[in-house]
Amino acid sequence: MYIRIVTFSITVSHEDYLAITEQVAPAFLDWPGLQAKYWLADEAAGRYGGVYVFASKQAADASRGTALFRGIEANPAFAGLDVVEYDVLAAPTAVTSAASVDSAVA
């Protein structure tokens, strides 16, 4: 598993940004190896972004070559774009992941 965290400020209104996200969200389903994308918003601070969960670093690397990713980088509506990626530590994550927590509660 591999994680990408993207954050940015927006130069459009919060409402306009929400409309854009609803239009573009289905396009992320075309990224092979993307297991989930969590959309982030802190309207008060004016910071937005996403947490991407990939099956592997290779899948994350491949997504960087897509028109969708390049569009995020080039879009003037996003200011102060920050992209950070991480390996996931498998052993402790297995203990604290949703599946493990759900089975412990059941």
Side-chain angles (χ1 to χ4, degrees):
M1 189 179 308
Y2 198 72
I3 303 293
R4 173 183 296 150
I5 300 173
V6 176
T7 57
F8 50 83
S9 299
I10 57 174
T11 61
V12 297
S13 71
H14 176 79
E15 292 74 21
D16 287 346
Y17 175 73
L18 292 180
I20 293 166
T21 63
E22 291 176 18
Q23 291 173 359
V24 73
F28 287 96
L29 297 174
D30 294 335
W31 282 4
L34 180 65
Q35 297 176 329
K37 178 180 181 193
Y38 298 93
W39 299 76
L40 308 176
D42 182 345
E43 185 179 3
R47 292 296 289 172
Y48 296 81
V51 175
Y52 301 74
V53 180
F54 289 95
S56 66
K57 180 179 184 325
Q58 293 76 20
D61 290 346
S63 74
R64 285 179 169 268
T66 65
L68 183 58
F69 187 84
R70 289 190 311 272
I72 293 167
E73 291 180 313
N75 192 328
F78 305 140
L81 181 68
D82 187 36
V83 179
V84 182
E85 296 181 345
Y86 299 92
D87 287 314
V88 173
L89 300 176
T93 299
V95 173
T96 59
S97 68
S100 297
V101 172
D102 289 343
S103 66
V105 173

